[in-house]
């Protein structure tokens, strides 16, 4: 739910990175954190297991420039991808403005990608959102791995509408900012419509 603070002249939006376990959601946020100037970011908070799997969420607030004199503060969250953390995923989607789906390009993860995408659609519905309407981008991550499927094949399995698609190697930052900008742009368009 976009929150506009007229006193601070600041627009607050929530973007959630969704996708199967080990797909690279946390890695996306880590890269964004690393390359963002200190004055444009807050603390990154990660609640992780000992093996660095996301336990509850990661959180990173960043500023993405001004719109009509208002600062834009984006609150980036990741969900835990592991199947049994569904209650957490649901909770994190509360008040979401835009979603990035981080798909794992490895052939053996395609079932997990599909399952996670269906889970996203269901969990959005529970909050009264529609995947077909919400600002959304698809990231095909881990393009560097030998078992990565052709992008076209992944698209035919995972595209849900005419969403922007980005090939990424999150560990090297490839495609990460492009993905974020694509979803942020859509969120701001929606905001203008409702303003
Ligand atoms: N080769 C390769 N490895 C990647 C890439 N992106 C992420 N990884 C690695 O994949 C592993 C999992 O990445 P995470 O970012 O923790 O995955 P996640 O989606 O947050 O996983 P959960 O928190 O369990 O849902 C880590 O070892 C990353 O370094 C990539 O583009 N290529
Ligand atoms: Mg994670």
């Amino acid at each position: 739910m976009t929150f506009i603070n007229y006193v601070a002249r600041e627009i607050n939006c929530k973007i959630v990175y969704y996708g199967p376990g080990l797909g690279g959601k946390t890695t996306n946020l880590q890269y964004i954190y690393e390359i963002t100037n200190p004055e444009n970011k807050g603390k990154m908070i990660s609640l992780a297991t000992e093996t660095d799997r996301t336990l509850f969420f990661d959180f990173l607030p960043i500023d993405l420039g001004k719109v009509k004199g208002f600062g834009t503060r984006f609150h980036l969250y990741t969900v835990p991808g592991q199947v049994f953390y569904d209650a957490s995923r649901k909770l994190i989607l509360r008040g979401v403005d835009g979603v990035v789906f981080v798909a794992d390009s490895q052939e053996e993860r395609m079932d997990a990608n599909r399952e996670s995408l269906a889970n996203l659609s269901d969990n959005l519905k529970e909050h009264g959102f529609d995947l077909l309407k919400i600002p959304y981008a698809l990231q095909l991550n881990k393009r560097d791995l030998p078992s990565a499927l052709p992008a076209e094949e992944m698209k035919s399995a995972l595209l849900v509408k005419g969403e922007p698609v980005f090939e990424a190697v999150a560990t090297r930052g490839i495609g990460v900012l492009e993905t974020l900008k694509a979803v942020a742009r859509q969120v701001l368009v929606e905001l203008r419509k409702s303003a």
Side-chain angles (χ1 to χ4, degrees):
M1 200 193 320
T2 318
F3 174 72
I4 304 181
N5 182 335
Y6 287 93
V7 177
R9 298 191 75 72
E10 193 177 73
I11 298 165
N12 290 273
C13 312
K14 178 174 183 177
I15 293 181
V16 175
Y17 284 69
Y18 215 94
L22 298 178
K25 300 175 292 296
T26 297
T27 309
N28 267 263
L29 257 65
Q30 284 167 340
Y31 178 76
I32 295 163
Y33 180 80
E34 275 164 30
I35 58 118
T36 304
N37 290 327
E39 64 267 29
N40 295 331
K41 68 185 175 193
K43 261 194 196 142
M44 177 160 168
I45 296 168
S46 289
L47 299 173
T49 65
E50 281 164 24
T51 53
D52 272 346
R53 307 294 305 268
T54 301
L55 184 60
F56 189 19
F57 60 78
D58 304 296
F59 169 68
L60 170 63
I62 57 161
D63 298 325
L64 287 183
K66 293 217 164 195
V67 173
K68 293 189 177 161
F70 279 76
T72 52
R73 174 141 277 218
F74 282 82
H75 298 239
L76 311 184
Y77 287 81
T78 75
V79 299
Q82 295 183 82
V83 175
F84 44 87
Y85 291 135
D86 197 41
S88 303
R89 277 193 295 278
K90 251 179 229 169
L91 196 64
I92 292 158
L93 280 177
R94 223 175 116 171
V96 66
D97 292 299
V99 176
V100 170
F101 188 86
V102 180
D104 190 324
S105 294
Q106 298 174 91
E107 187 168 13
E108 61 270 29
R109 295 300 284 161
M110 274 314 280
D111 284 344
N113 289 331
R114 283 194 203 90
E115 192 182 330
S116 177
L117 190 57
N119 176 255
L120 167 64
S121 177
D122 289 347
N123 282 342
L124 281 172
K125 262 182 217 150
E126 294 215 4
H127 289 287
F129 295 115
D130 183 351
L131 179 58
L132 296 176
K133 291 186 186 151
I134 199 162
Y136 180 72
L138 171 64
Q139 182 183 81
L140 310 178
N141 190 34
K142 304 200 180 184
R143 298 307 300 164
D144 58 318
L145 293 179
S147 63
L149 279 175
E152 288 309 314
E153 205 170 309
M154 290 190 74
K155 281 197 236 174
S156 60
L158 300 175
L159 272 179
V160 291
K161 49 186 175 182
E163 72 265 34
V165 184
F166 300 91
E167 296 191 30
V169 183
T171 36
R172 284 193 252 141
I174 297 169
V176 170
L177 288 186
E178 292 83 349
T179 310
L180 171 62
K181 281 183 198 159
V183 75
R185 195 175 301 131
Q186 293 172 56
V187 169
L188 292 174
V189 166
E190 285 304 305
L191 191 71
R192 278 192 203 107
K193 276 190 208 161
S194 60

